[in-house]
């Protein structure tokens, strides 16, 4: 864990207590049943965590990324699924904070801050993943609004969330033909696909989102028409810092379990932690955790101070996802055969870690972003 100030430490103690009481005892059951419990999200709301990035004037805590990253890592060290749930909620709220009109902020932010409303982010489509600019969901002008038709895929919190920032095509122009909207669950023409049966983060619902002749008034357009790609890229810079913190949390959780097991398990008449082969795996996990913590803290600091952060966010996101994957793998290895069993949390960390090398820009795409920034002379 990187250095937290007094206020952050107090908040982390509260988050830890919530996780220990409301999540940890049920984490395996919720994973097996692929069950998202809204009451846990509501508990986040009661503590103000849902509004951590929302300005105080709209009911949030306005604590910035230096704090959101700490909180997210703490939650993810117990449940990556619930960490994803609040992370995409933050992404939705941050997009409205950054690009919304005053009316939109007044209407949505206080209720997103309290957790009364849960947010989500609808960018990906069946044929537009890494190449997000090729999205096809159509928004055609009609009266004082738009008619939406198309399908979004793999939406975290899909169906569970109340408010979605969704990206559509308003003209053929690849980048300036993309427009974002605020969409509410329950509007005519909005529906959701079946819950995806996933390898990991199973307690976070993932569904497709379907628009069929869905009328959306212009007042729900987020920012100017044609500015959607800029909205998406700006917000994903910030989102990737939180994403990196989330995977740091997985690595921390794996480390905690690996150390505990190495201190308990005996073979050849010794604790397995006495074997150098096991010590090396523990040390590798620790080095990954500490280096990631430093990278995430730096990216969060830069974001909070308004400095350019695109490359830092991609470095953090990519590196942290790989560290989490390796940490979970080493933690399973240290547990031997028991690590392969669902009774031990490391099995779930291992399955959960994988998605973060894929979502919010795959690790290959992060490398593309990093190299592009380097060649542009920015880093
Ligand atoms: C569990 C889960 C939750 C998700 N949550 C959300 C969400 O809340 N909101 C949302 O909008 N989306 C979400 N996604 C979608 C996710 O962001 C995409 O899956 C991801 O961006 C990759 O897109 P794709 O799956 O279409 O893969 P593709 O883009 O088809 O990529 C396939 C492979 O090709 C590689 N590749 C593609 N282009 C390049 C290139 N230029 N250079 C090198 N390699 C390349 C990729 O790295 C990958 O290895 C989620 C996905 C999952 C599985």
């Amino acid at each position: 864990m990187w250095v937290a100030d007094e206020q952050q430490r107090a908040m982390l103690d509260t988050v830890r207590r919530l996780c220990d009481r409301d999540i940890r005892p049920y984490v395996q059951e919720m994973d097996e049943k692929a069950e998202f419990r809204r009451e846990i999200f509501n508990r986040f709301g009661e503590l103000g965590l849902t509004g951590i990035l929302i300005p105080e004037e709209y009911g949030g805590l306005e604590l910035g990324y230096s704090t959101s990253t700490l909180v997210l890592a703490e939650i993810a060290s117990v449940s990556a699924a619930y960490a994803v749930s609040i992370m995409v909620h933050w992404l939705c709220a941050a997009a409205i904070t950054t690009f919304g009109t005053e009316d939109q902020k007044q209407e949505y932010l206080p209720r997103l801050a309290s957790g009364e409303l849960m947010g989500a982010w609808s960018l990906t489509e069946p044929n537009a993943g890494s190449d997000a600019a090729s999205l096809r969901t159509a928004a055609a002008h009609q009266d004082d609004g738009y008619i939406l038709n198309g399908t979004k895929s793999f939406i975290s919190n899909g169906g569970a969330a109340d408010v979605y920032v969704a990206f559509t095509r308003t003209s053929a122009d690849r980048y300036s033909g993309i427009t974002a909207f605020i969409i509410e669950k329950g509007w005519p023409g909005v529906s959701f696909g079946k819950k995806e049966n996933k390898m990991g983060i199973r307690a976070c619902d993932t569904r497709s989102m379907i628009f069929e002749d869905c009328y959306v008034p212009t007042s729900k357009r987020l920012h100017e028409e044609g500015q959607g790609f800029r909205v998406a890229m700006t917000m994903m810079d910030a989102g990737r810092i939180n994403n990196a913190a989330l995977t740091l949390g997985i690595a921390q959780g794996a480390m905690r379990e690996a150390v505990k097991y190495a201190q308990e398990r005996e073979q050849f008449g010794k604790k397995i932690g006495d074997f150098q082969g096991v010590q090396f795996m523990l040390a590798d996990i620790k080095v990954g955790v500490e280096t990631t913590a430093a990278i995430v803290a730096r990216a969060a600091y830069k974001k909070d101070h308004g400095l350019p952060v695109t490359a830092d966010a991609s470095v953090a996101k990519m590196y942290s996802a790989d560290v989490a994957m390796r940490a979970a793998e080493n933690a399973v290895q240290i547990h031997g055969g028991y690590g392969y069993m669902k009774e031990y949390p490391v099995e779930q960390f291992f399955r959960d870690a994988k998605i973060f090398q894929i979502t919010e820009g795959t690790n290959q795409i992060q490398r593309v972003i990093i190299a592009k920034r380097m060649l542009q002379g920015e880093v």
Side-chain angles (χ1 to χ4, degrees):
M1 179 57 63
W2 57 103
V3 182
D5 64 26
E6 205 175 313
Q7 185 192 22
Q8 289 169 330
R9 278 201 301 275
M11 175 168 273
L12 289 177
D13 282 345
T14 313
V15 173
R16 208 166 292 137
R17 278 197 297 276
L18 182 156
C19 290
D20 284 344
R21 192 190 57 206
D22 295 337
I23 304 180
R24 196 190 299 279
Y26 314 105
V27 85
Q28 193 202 335
E29 181 190 344
M30 292 187 290
D31 175 76
E32 278 205 38
K33 292 182 179 167
E35 182 186 22
F36 171 73
R37 296 183 184 172
R38 179 67 179 248
E39 60 267 29
I40 292 176
F41 184 83
N42 293 344
R43 292 285 296 128
F44 292 155
E46 286 162 21
L47 294 180
L49 304 179
T50 39
I52 211 163
L53 292 170
I54 294 175
E56 282 183 9
E57 61 177 308
Y58 301 106
L61 295 179
E62 200 175 350
L63 291 175
Y65 287 81
S66 296
T67 302
S68 73
T69 47
L70 289 166
V71 167
L72 204 56
E74 193 63 46
I75 297 171
S77 75
V78 177
S79 168
Y82 281 92
V84 169
S85 183
I86 195 166
M87 180 180 73
V88 294
H89 167 86
W90 287 345
L91 191 56
C92 168
I96 296 173
T97 303
T98 310
F99 291 103
T101 62
E102 189 52 38
D103 282 351
Q104 290 168 347
K105 291 180 194 181
Q106 297 282 358
E107 181 172 1
Y108 292 105
L109 292 182
R111 289 183 295 155
L112 286 165
S114 69
E116 179 191 338
L117 295 179
M118 182 174 163
W121 178 260
S122 298
L123 176 64
T124 303
E125 296 184 359
N127 293 308
S130 300
D131 183 12
S134 67
L135 65 84
R136 288 189 205 151
T137 292
H141 285 274
Q142 181 174 307
D143 304 327
D144 186 26
Y146 299 79
I147 294 285
L148 270 55
N149 277 290
T151 300
K152 296 286 168 186
S153 48
F154 299 147
I155 306 308
S156 301
N157 289 348
D162 309 289
V163 180
Y164 299 76
V165 169
F167 295 85
T168 67
R169 180 155 296 289
T170 39
S171 85
D173 192 284
R174 181 169 160 79
Y175 297 107
S176 58
I178 295 175
T179 301
F181 291 93
I182 301 169
I183 307 288
E184 292 183 32
K185 179 168 79 171
W187 282 356
V190 177
S191 62
F192 297 91
K194 68 167 177 50
K195 185 158 68 178
E196 301 290 355
N197 189 8
K198 305 196 298 289
M199 173 196 293
I201 58 164
R202 288 171 55 78
C204 176
D205 289 355
T206 309
R207 286 191 168 86
S208 57
M209 181 178 192
I210 302 140
F211 298 105
E212 288 168 301
D213 292 331
C214 170
Y215 175 74
V216 181
T218 302
S219 61
K220 302 295 177 182
R221 194 182 65 210
L222 189 62
H223 206 38
E224 298 299 314
E225 184 172 308
Q227 290 295 308
F229 195 71
R230 188 161 85 80
V231 172
M233 293 305 115
T234 305
M235 297 323 302
M236 283 172 79
D237 275 358
R240 284 172 184 145
I241 301 171
N242 279 330
N243 206 302
L246 195 162
T247 40
L248 170 61
I250 296 177
Q252 287 170 330
M255 179 167 74
R256 179 190 63 223
E257 297 301 324
V259 169
K260 196 164 74 182
Y261 195 78
Q263 289 168 334
E264 289 166 359
R265 174 74 171 168
E266 291 187 5
Q267 288 292 281
F268 298 97
K270 287 179 175 177
K271 305 282 186 212
I272 60 166
D274 290 336
F275 300 123
Q276 202 176 48
V278 172
Q279 290 171 359
F280 282 6
M281 285 190 277
L282 288 174
D284 285 349
I285 297 174
K286 176 73 172 167
V287 171
V289 164
E290 295 302 330
T291 48
T292 304
I295 292 170
V296 171
R298 192 178 72 146
Y301 176 89
K302 287 176 95 170
K303 174 69 189 156
D304 285 342
H305 289 79
L307 299 167
V309 81
T310 301
D312 299 86
S314 286
V315 169
K317 198 259 174 197
M318 187 200 91
Y319 184 80
S320 186
D322 284 348
V323 162
M325 200 66 237
R326 271 201 309 276
E329 185 187 2
N330 275 330
V332 169
Q333 193 68 17
I334 288 169
H335 280 67
Y338 295 98
Y340 204 67
M341 301 299 144
K342 288 188 181 291
E343 285 74 12
Y344 288 83
V346 291
E347 181 269 346
Q348 194 177 136
F349 285 134
F350 185 73
R351 284 184 289 106
D352 285 348
K354 181 59 201 171
I355 187 55
F356 302 99
Q357 293 178 321
I358 297 170
T359 194
E360 267 194 80
T362 67
N363 276 12
Q364 288 71 39
I365 294 300
Q366 302 312 323
R367 285 181 171 84
V368 170
I369 295 169
I370 294 162
K372 199 187 266 181
R373 294 281 157 168
M374 291 169 74
L375 294 168
Q376 287 169 348
E378 286 186 30
V379 283

